[in-house]
Amino acid sequence: MGTKSKYQMKVVNGDFGYVLEDVPHLTDYIPNLPTYDNPLRSNPAYSVVKQYFVDMDDTVPQKIVVHKDSQRGVHFRRAGPRQKVYFNSDDVRACIVTCGGLCPGLNTVIREIVHSLDYMYGVDKVLGIEGGYRGFYAKNTINLTPKLVNDIHKRGGTILGTSRGGHDTKKIVDSIQDHGINQVYIIGGDGTLKGADIIYEEIRRRGLKVVVAGIPKTIDNDIPIIDKSFGFDTAVEEAQRAINAAHVEAQSAENGIGVVKLMGRYSGFIAMYATLASRDVDCCLIPESPFFLDGSGGIFEFVKKRLREEGHMVIVIAEGAGQELLAAENSNAGSEQDASGNKLLQDVGLWISHKIRDHFEKKLKMPITLKYIDPTYMIRAVPSNASDNVYCTILAQSCVHGAMAGYTGFTSGIVNGRQTYLPFNRITEKQNNVVITDRMWARLLASTNQPSFLSTKRQHSQSQLLDGDDNESEITGKQNTSTA
Ligand SMILES: Nc1ncnc2c1ncn2[C@@H]1O[C@H](COP(=O)(O)OP(=O)(O)O)[C@@H](O)[C@H]1O
Ligand SMILES: O=P(O)(O)OC[C@H]1O[C@](O)(COP(=O)(O)O)[C@@H](O)[C@@H]1O
Ligand SMILES: [Mg+2]
């Protein structure tokens, strides 16, 4: 499965280092397409709003912290309704599919796409593709009406179902053609959007007037560029219940230890924000920050210190943390994959709980009471909270405006608080990670007062990284949503 785009990125250069990384448009490969007045122009709810329609020249900067002499840098196209649209509402046949793991807010996004298409643009033909990508060719479709989806935002999961694997480009695009679909809305994470990019390329190769629009979904918040992903706030909020339970258990026992595992395959954002929000957490372990157990500066030493000082402690660990330690003990670990090709992880929460018990009870003969809580799937299954519901609505509306305006091969996403259209490859080319040389991780360390757990060798290379560093994200080559 290739991830490199066949088509050149649309880049526009301007004065003082201004760069616009634009998204593709149907007219890039189909000339002389007719345009229509946006039906919102005659809609009293919108026409009274001053500057409701987005100026064609409006763009949003990627970096908002600038120096006096900074170049203007990379910009993205501002999302929102355009004066002219490239579809006659009666001709639109849209479809929606959800792929990958669950995330709070999926149903809200589905609902809002259906409602936006109908209430804003008068589009009433919207098909639901069931069960992820393979649903295009292996399942029946369902008709999504505003009435059918009216209450679904109150439920967790996705009413359409989802799956991993099953991305067969030819079969998917054949099915899009067979159904006469001309707007494809794809909701999913990094894997899904790589798949969406390939679908867009095949549609373009066939010269079809079909737009492919994505909405980035990831509970792990591992998609770059965007401020954060929908469902993330809900996940952080829901994680508080597990942390609170772990704290109550730990506090009530002699030498009580609560261990909570949270999602985060490669990115520890949920663990970091849940820790910062809770204040009951003594130690937060994430994939980006390696740790070791035994010896000076290790986990065991810190646990002992906290138990001596406080009598109890809470550890939050992201599922992807310490995987290299597990792999070192079990050579088979890490070789298995799910249907999408994602590495299957070992249960690090269970592993660290055993290690702590063995160390204190067997080696040090020190009684402890350890309770391990794994709330991961409970967190993922809840409906989105109020702020995520608002966020999902804005994402869905922006996406519909973009599709009606003829943009394709794009996702909608919030960059520095503004809705934008982002080219697929820009958000699939790398992953968003916690930058441990960044101020947000420093804030966490200041809040838990935990050591860095880096070995002396690693600390040295880390400090070399920081020497003369005035922009951590550039130096680590990673995106940085955590800087505030
Ligand atoms: N590189 C890729 N090219 C094409 N399709 C992909 C690619 N990676 C994943 N997919 C497809 O995208 C869907 C979801 O991917 P997955 O990694 O499971 O979840 P997520 O989108 O949440 O990261 C699956 O149906 C999978 O087959
Ligand atoms: O058991 P599943 O469905 O494979 O999901 C587990 C994975 O899903 C995630 O929540 C995120 O997955 P996505 O890439 O699909 O967003 C990870 O944190 C976790 O490892
Ligand atoms: Mg993924």
Side-chain angles (χ1 to χ4, degrees):
M1 288 188 280
T3 58
K4 218 162 171 58
S5 183
K6 266 190 242 147
Y7 299 101
Q8 288 258 307
M9 269 189 68
K10 279 173 75 176
V11 177
V12 180
N13 292 299
D15 293 341
F16 309 109
Y18 172 94
V19 177
L20 167 63
E21 290 192 3
D22 206 356
V23 292
H25 192 271
L26 288 173
T27 50
D28 294 346
Y29 64 95
I30 312 176
N32 308 321
L33 277 176
T35 58
Y36 309 87
D37 282 347
N38 192 323
L40 291 170
R41 282 165 70 165
S42 47
N43 183 324
Y46 300 93
S47 52
V48 293
V49 180
K50 205 172 157 224
Q51 292 185 337
Y52 185 69
F53 294 98
V54 171
D55 190 295
M56 279 308 289
D57 284 338
D58 282 358
T59 59
V60 178
Q62 183 179 7
K63 271 194 183 178
I64 48 165
V65 178
V66 290
H67 296 174
K68 186 161 55 71
D69 303 321
S70 296
Q71 293 282 290
R72 291 178 67 197
V74 172
H75 292 66
F76 301 111
R77 193 166 278 290
R78 185 180 177 193
R82 283 11 194 200
Q83 298 272 2
K84 294 277 177 202
V85 293
Y86 281 78
F87 289 93
N88 181 357
S89 299
D90 288 342
D91 300 337
V92 174
R93 273 168 187 67
C95 76
I96 307 175
V97 64
T98 51
C99 310
L102 291 183
C103 175
L106 282 166
N107 278 335
T108 314
V109 174
I110 296 169
R111 179 190 190 276
E112 296 311 322
I113 294 173
V114 175
H115 277 236
S116 305
L117 280 168
D118 195 331
Y119 296 162
M120 293 200 287
Y121 289 100
V123 171
D124 58 4
K125 292 173 211 81
V126 188
L127 290 179
I129 307 295
E130 290 190 289
Y133 276 135
R134 62 168 59 85
F136 273 105
Y137 54 88
K139 295 213 174 200
N140 291 327
T141 54
I142 49 173
N143 286 321
L144 297 175
T145 60
K147 193 161 172 228
L148 186 96
V149 298
N150 196 39
D151 265 346
I152 63 172
H153 61 295
K154 295 172 188 162
R155 280 182 254 158
T158 153
I159 57 152
L160 297 176
T162 182
S163 66
R164 301 197 188 271
H167 186 280
D168 184 322
T169 314
K170 183 178 175 307
K171 285 188 185 169
I172 292 170
V173 180
D174 284 352
S175 162
I176 289 169
Q177 265 191 291
D178 291 347
H179 283 99
I181 292 165
N182 48 20
Q183 292 188 1
V184 183
Y185 293 91
I186 300 177
I187 311 166
D190 52 344
T192 305
L193 297 174
K194 283 174 194 160
D197 198 11
I198 296 169
I199 293 170
Y200 151 70
E201 285 177 1
E202 178 59 16
I203 283 172
R204 184 169 173 162
R205 194 188 64 76
R206 295 189 193 185
L208 307 176
K209 188 192 170 189
V210 177
V211 298
V212 182
I215 296 191
K217 167 243 57 157
T218 156
I219 198 166
D220 295 350
N221 199 31
D222 58 2
I223 292 182
I225 316 279
I226 58 175
D227 292 354
K228 71 177 167 188
S229 47
F230 73 80
F232 176 72
D233 271 359
T234 307
V236 170
E237 196 172 300
E238 192 62 17
Q240 302 305 303
R241 294 184 344 130
I243 295 172
N244 198 33
H247 186 234
V248 169
E249 288 285 347
Q251 227 179 4
S252 313
E254 193 183 341
N255 289 333
I257 303 175
V259 176
V260 179
K261 185 179 76 171
L262 297 176
M263 276 184 172
R265 217 197 292 263
Y266 305 110
S267 307
F269 285 105
I270 299 181
M272 177 167 78
Y273 276 79
T275 296
L276 276 165
S278 151
R279 284 134 224 272
D280 285 336
V281 180
D282 295 87
C283 176
C284 173
L285 301 171
I286 58 170
E288 296 89 337
S289 183
F291 63 88
F292 62 99
L293 297 176
D294 220 349
S296 171
I299 300 283
F300 293 154
E301 187 187 74
F302 180 63
V303 172
K304 196 171 169 192
K305 180 170 173 279
R306 275 291 149 100
L307 290 182
R308 200 174 52 231
E309 289 167 358
E310 310 287 337
H312 70 277
M313 77 174 300
V314 174
I315 299 173
V316 161
I317 187 159
E319 62 177 337
Q323 289 293 320
E324 70 285 357
L325 300 179
L326 278 86
E329 287 183 9
N330 173 7
S331 53
N332 291 331
S335 52
E336 282 181 277
Q337 295 186 337
D338 69 16
S340 295
N342 299 304
K343 201 162 78 180
L344 286 178
L345 302 180
Q346 305 295 302
D347 189 338
V348 70
L350 207 53
W351 174 84
I352 203 167
S353 300
H354 284 311
K355 291 286 178 190
I356 293 173
R357 273 200 200 102
D358 283 354
H359 180 79
F360 285 91
E361 293 181 340
K362 291 193 185 149
K363 196 169 163 199
L364 303 186
K365 308 282 181 231
M366 176 179 159
I368 59 163
T369 306
L370 187 148
K371 302 286 187 233
Y372 170 44
I373 302 178
D374 176 354
T376 46
Y377 290 107
M378 293 183 73
I379 289 175
R380 211 168 70 161
V382 300
S384 43
N385 67 13
S387 88
D388 271 326
N389 269 339
V390 174
Y391 186 17
C392 291
T393 304
I394 298 172
L395 281 172
Q397 289 190 359
S398 299
C399 202
V400 167
H401 290 312
M404 290 300 295
Y407 292 113
T408 182
F410 75 96
T411 72
S412 59
I414 292 192
V415 178
N416 296 319
R418 295 298 184 139
Q419 277 293 318
T420 64
Y421 295 138
L422 303 163
F424 281 144
N425 57 316
R426 207 47 169 87
I427 57 170
T428 55
E429 68 193 0
K430 55 185 166 193
Q431 210 167 40
N432 192 29
N433 295 99
V434 174
V435 181
I436 61 165
T437 53
D438 181 17
R439 293 161 55 149
M440 204 62 191
W441 186 244
R443 287 178 183 123
L444 178 133
L445 296 180
S447 136
T448 58
N449 202 16
Q450 69 189 66
S452 74
F453 300 121
L454 292 172
S455 62
T456 329
K457 203 168 128 210
R458 276 195 156 122
Q459 272 177 7
H460 180 66
S461 56
Q462 211 73 47
S463 60
Q464 275 184 334
L465 253 184
L466 285 169
D467 277 349
D469 166 11
D470 66 352
N471 188 332
E472 303 92 338
S473 11
E474 273 182 11
I475 285 187
T476 54
K478 286 172 181 168
Q479 283 306 315
N480 176 8
T481 55
S482 60
T483 302

